[in-house]
Amino acid sequence: MSPPVRAGLGLGLSVAAVLLVAPPAAAHVSVTPSTAQAGTTLLLQLEVNHGCGDSATTALEVKVPEGVNSVTATRTPFWDVSRTVVRLDEPVTDAHGNELTERVDTVLFTATEPLASDLRDTVELTFQVPDQVGEALAFPTVQTCEQGENAWIQVAQDGQDPEELESPAPVVQVLAPDAAATGSATGSATASTSAPSEVVAWIGFAAGMLGLLLGGLAFAQARRQPGAVPE
């Protein structure tokens, strides 16, 4: 095989290998943003980006962390919303000066039509972020499908690496008020990291096709050279 052919085919195979090892999209229920300033009102998006294997998603049940007493779900034509409430041990006062004697414990989103496993969607919750700076607000979520379920309910314990969890619960880190700018930047970065994996995959695919094309052109050129006999 002539040097031009080897070079072209080598480029195509190398780029194809990069495509094969491109990182996959996140496979769990994720939240945006992942950080929030203490005492502020937060609009939280929970994204489900796959089903239970090939089975479509029919419901998402989200457990609200203690300290979050009032939660409002965003209305959407694709999900019906219901809530369960529990009584508080002692009444608390919300941001509007209202006395609360109970709190939302879980929010259930039921799909009006099953969400196919190869589609993604988001649901939204609005609430006031507690003042406990440094706290991790976990939102354990059970994803029910037509067949089976995924329980995203694991929370990292002290000293445990969250990346080691197989089924991590969505978590929001509470930042100090003076860390608002940093928190916003971190939240934006988190929101944008799910997209690059898909972009890398498409770039890798295009580059791989280009490499194979170059290899083919080099092979054809070698055949047209006088006296050239490909190996």
Side-chain angles (χ1 to χ4, degrees), residues 37 175-187:
Q37 183 183 2
L175 304 178
D178 58 0
T182 303
S184 297
T186 305

Side-chain angles (χ1 to χ4, degrees), residues 26-27 37 41 56 63 67 75 78 90 119 131 161 192 210 228:
Q37 183 183 2
T41 298
K63 185 169 180 59
R75 182 182 180 185
F78 303 110
E90 296 181 1
L119 297 179
D131 292 328
D161 184 358
S192 62
L210 177 61

Side-chain angles (χ1 to χ4, degrees), residues 147-197:
Q147 295 181 358
E149 68 176 28
N150 292 322
W152 309 105
I153 59 176
Q154 294 180 333
V155 179
Q157 303 302 311
D158 291 341
Q160 184 178 13
D161 184 358
E163 297 296 329
E164 297 178 352
L165 302 177
E166 294 183 359
S167 301
V171 173
V172 177
Q173 296 288 338
V174 180
L175 304 178
D178 58 0
T182 303
S184 297
T186 305
S188 298
T190 302
S192 62
T193 52
S194 60
S197 59

Side-chain angles (χ1 to χ4, degrees), residues 18-99:
V18 173
L19 172 61
L20 291 176
V21 299
H28 52 80
V29 174
S30 58
V31 290
T32 303
S34 61
T35 59
Q37 183 183 2
T40 60
T41 298
L42 180 67
L43 175 63
L44 184 68
Q45 293 184 329
L46 294 97
E47 178 183 14
V48 54
N49 50 29
H50 64 89
C52 305
D54 295 330
S55 184
T57 300
T58 57
L60 295 172
E61 185 174 22
V62 183
K63 185 169 180 59
V64 179
E66 293 185 7
V68 176
N69 297 312
S70 180
V71 172
T72 301
T74 300
R75 182 182 180 185
T76 167
F78 303 110
W79 302 88
D80 293 326
V81 182
S82 60
R83 305 183 303 173
T84 60
V85 297
V86 294
R87 292 194 64 83
L88 293 169
D89 294 334
E90 296 181 1
V92 297
T93 303
D94 66 12
H96 304 288
N98 301 314
E99 184 179 82

